[in-house]
Amino acid sequence: CGLAHAAPSSAPSSTLDAVLERGVLRVGFDAGYQPFEMTNKQGQYIGFDVDLAKMVAKEMGVKVEFVNTAWDGIIPALLTDKFDVIMGGMTVTPQRNLRVNFADPYIVVGQTIVLRKDKAGEIKSFSDLNDPKYKIAVKLGTTGEQAVKRLIPKATLLQFETQDDAKLEVINGKVDAFVYDLPYNAIFASQNTGAVVHLDKPFTFEPLAWAIRKGDQDTLNWFNNYLRQIKGDGSYDRLYKKWFES
Ligand code: ARG
């Protein structure tokens, strides 16, 4: 029995190989983040990320399985192999990038403010909210939370486990503002025009990307080449129009 046989030879060397062997791509996200991932009335997941994930799996020749995970625990869940990739509108931040690898960004967004309607006269931008008398709701573990801590540090911050809870606070007038990604807020505000207004000029720069475990060049290479392909051949544009321009 030579040394060569002592080396582990059957374990897949990359997430990509593990997915192919398993025949299933496991995708982690946190549903409720419109229009990227939502649950419809039939209980199925729909959205931009969902369609992209299905396209990826189809191209790989495997099935797709969605693993719904609370946002503030989503990186630990990736690192402990609960799924293969986060496709959940995750902003590439230097801090997160210390723990995971990101594919090339698939879209760029920024934080915006949804304001209680009766505050529209006095608050025109994020800096007007920088006062302890203003209450701002955010979703736990998001870049919305980080943006408020960093750029609106004097405001009173209220963290919520879900975006639905945070959103309700501003609809019900319990807080003055809600800070979250622009696409989410655009839909939120358009559905609640009686209660809120959208300050829709983004005040942060946020590329969103798929996250995988570190040190996996094979998987990163596949994802990046795939992204370039769908961005060039029209299939990305088709999905973008479906979810962002309808
Ligand atoms: N882009 C923001 C972030 O990275 C929010 C993403 C929330 N995604 C979700 N699936 N709930 O923190």
Side-chain angles (χ1 to χ4, degrees):
C1 168
L3 268 180
H5 295 281
S9 54
S10 59
S13 56
S14 67
T15 291
L16 183 59
D17 286 343
V19 166
L20 297 180
E21 210 163 276
R22 195 191 303 124
V24 179
L25 173 71
R26 300 166 308 163
V27 174
F29 62 35
D30 181 8
Y33 172 67
Q34 60 199 15
F36 295 81
E37 51 253 15
M38 302 87 81
T39 311
N40 70 11
K41 290 198 181 74
Q42 290 76 45
Q44 296 151 329
Y45 294 124
I46 56 163
F48 187 58
D49 285 336
V50 174
D51 280 353
L52 281 173
K54 285 179 179 168
M55 271 170 57
V56 165
K58 189 170 176 213
E59 195 60 51
M60 288 179 174
V62 299
K63 294 197 181 106
V64 66
E65 187 183 297
F66 296 104
V67 184
N68 198 16
T69 305
W71 192 251
D72 64 326
I74 203 159
I75 288 181
L78 172 71
L79 299 182
T80 53
D81 199 28
K82 300 293 187 291
F83 40 78
D84 304 302
V85 57
I86 299 172
M87 295 186 172
M90 180 168 273
T91 303
V92 179
T93 71
Q95 286 307 314
R96 287 173 176 162
N97 211 172
L98 297 172
R99 305 164 71 199
V100 301
N101 279 177
F102 288 103
D104 294 339
Y106 65 104
I107 189 169
V108 175
V109 305
Q111 297 302 304
T112 63
I113 295 161
V114 173
L115 209 59
R116 233 175 85 168
K117 202 166 191 176
D118 57 347
K119 302 283 165 160
E122 72 192 77
I123 292 153
K124 299 291 178 202
S125 91
F126 75 93
S127 48
D128 295 334
L129 284 167
N130 198 24
D131 186 303
K133 74 176 178 199
Y134 292 123
K135 290 192 192 131
I136 306 181
V138 297
K139 178 172 155 78
L140 202 62
T142 61
T143 46
E145 177 182 15
Q146 292 169 18
V148 175
K149 285 182 174 163
R150 220 176 270 194
L151 300 168
I152 323 176
K154 290 183 187 154
T156 305
L157 178 66
L158 291 133
Q159 295 129 308
F160 294 87
E161 185 74 48
T162 71
Q163 49 251 317
D164 281 351
D165 289 340
K167 181 171 102 171
L168 272 180
E169 294 292 297
V170 63
I171 293 175
N172 295 333
K174 298 228 178 71
V175 302
D176 301 293
F178 170 66
V179 171
Y180 207 28
D181 298 25
L182 182 147
Y184 181 96
N185 279 347
I187 299 171
F188 167 28
S190 73
Q191 290 171 346
N192 294 274
T193 48
V196 300
V197 290
H198 188 198
L199 302 185
D200 61 0
K201 192 170 160 281
F203 63 98
T204 60
F205 171 77
E206 305 200 18
L208 308 185
W210 302 337
I212 59 169
R213 290 178 288 276
K214 292 207 302 189
D216 186 352
Q217 186 53 39
D218 284 358
T219 307
L220 208 55
N221 175 255
W222 195 95
F223 280 146
N224 284 339
N225 285 323
Y226 183 70
L227 272 169
R228 187 175 50 230
Q229 179 60 36
I230 61 171
K231 284 198 173 179
D233 71 12
S235 36
Y236 176 93
D237 288 347
R238 205 164 20 79
L239 281 191
Y240 186 91
K241 281 202 185 82
K242 172 178 171 189
W243 291 106
F244 294 96
E245 288 169 11
S246 57

